Structures are given as structure tokens and as C-alpha cells.
Amino acid sequence: LLLFNAGNDQIAFTLCPPVAAAGWEIVVDTGHPGALPHTAPGRSGDSLLAEGAEVTMSGHSVVVLQAAG
């Protein structure tokens, strides 16, 4: 799943249900370079995000998620 924020402001995306998986795992978050995706600011220590979870993105960023679990 690819999320794009081309605007200047933060935006929140609500995740859809993953197909044949327990949740989503953040693989890349360009809004937090150098940080592990699940330890980036505003992220919990749990790297698996469930259906309906919100992902808040900074401006001009991309988030790549993969189905996991």
C-alpha cells in the first residue's frame, strides 16, 4: 500500500483492511528519514497496524506499507 502526501501540511490516512493478513507494517516513511518506521515520532513500538488505524504523514512524504502477520 502506498500513501502520498504532496501537500505542505500533515495529513492522516485511515488504513483499509489488508488482504489475507493481520495488519500493515510500515516499510518506508520518508517523513522520518533515518528512523526505524515503528520508532519514528508519533508511532508506537508495535510495527503492525490494524485495519482502521490512522497514519499521520508530514508534508511532502511517502509511506510504503506491506501486508503482514
Side-chain angles (χ1 to χ4, degrees):
L1 180 63
L2 302 173
L3 305 177
F4 297 92
N5 180 4
N8 293 324
D9 300 322
Q10 282 189 341
I11 191 168
F13 286 89
T14 302
L15 298 178
C16 62
V19 177
W24 295 103
E25 182 176 17
I26 297 174
V27 178
V28 174
D29 183 347
T30 64
H32 301 101
L36 294 173
H38 64 279
T39 60
R43 306 269 192 250
S44 70
D46 183 5
S47 62
L48 195 62
L49 301 170
E51 168 188 355
E54 272 196 359
V55 174
T56 302
M57 299 176 61
S58 55
H60 304 285
S61 63
V62 176
V63 173
V64 178
L65 299 105
Q66 69 180 2

